[in-house]
Amino acid sequence: MKVSGVPYEVEDPRDKQVGGDHYKNMGIEPWDVVDTWPLEQQIGYYRGGALKYIMRMGSKDERLQEAEKGLHYQEKLVDALRKGQHGRTH
């Protein structure tokens, strides 16, 4: 599924996982829980996740993979913000 509303098309962040499939194999992913939180808490979580991967880039996994994980969190942040603009915060 493609998400529109930005100058380029991006995949729905829920349709992918960077660095394995351990979350995709769960019945309920951690993001499913986070997405039930109030919008401001979702924003904080996704911002913090993006920061974590960018700050540790290259110290745990390959630099490219860490950057992709940080980008994935930013995509979830954008998704939450879009839903918040349309009144769907859960």
Side-chain angles (χ1 to χ4, degrees):
M1 177 171 121
K2 295 288 184 182
V3 178
S4 62
V6 293
Y8 53 91
E9 297 260 331
V10 295
E11 284 184 55
D12 184 331
R14 294 194 44 72
D15 292 343
K16 69 178 181 179
Q17 180 180 334
V18 178
D21 60 2
H22 44 285
Y23 292 119
K24 287 296 187 195
N25 290 332
M26 296 178 174
I28 298 174
E29 294 183 52
W31 282 350
D32 296 329
V33 176
V34 173
D35 288 343
T36 67
W37 298 351
L39 180 59
E40 291 305 313
Q41 290 178 352
Q42 292 177 44
I43 290 169
Y45 180 84
Y46 295 131
R47 287 176 71 188
L51 178 64
K52 172 183 81 171
Y53 286 110
I54 296 305
M55 294 289 294
R56 79 174 198 199
M57 191 175 85
S59 64
K60 181 179 178 197
D61 294 319
E62 297 281 330
R63 290 187 308 172
L64 177 59
Q65 186 177 49
E66 297 282 30
E68 289 171 338
K69 288 178 180 182
L71 178 59
H72 199 189
Y73 270 88
Q74 289 179 296
E75 291 168 349
K76 281 296 291 177
L77 174 61
V78 168
D79 187 55
L81 291 168
R82 282 194 185 119
K83 289 177 180 172
Q85 284 182 336
H86 295 94
R88 298 185 316 263
T89 57
H90 301 306

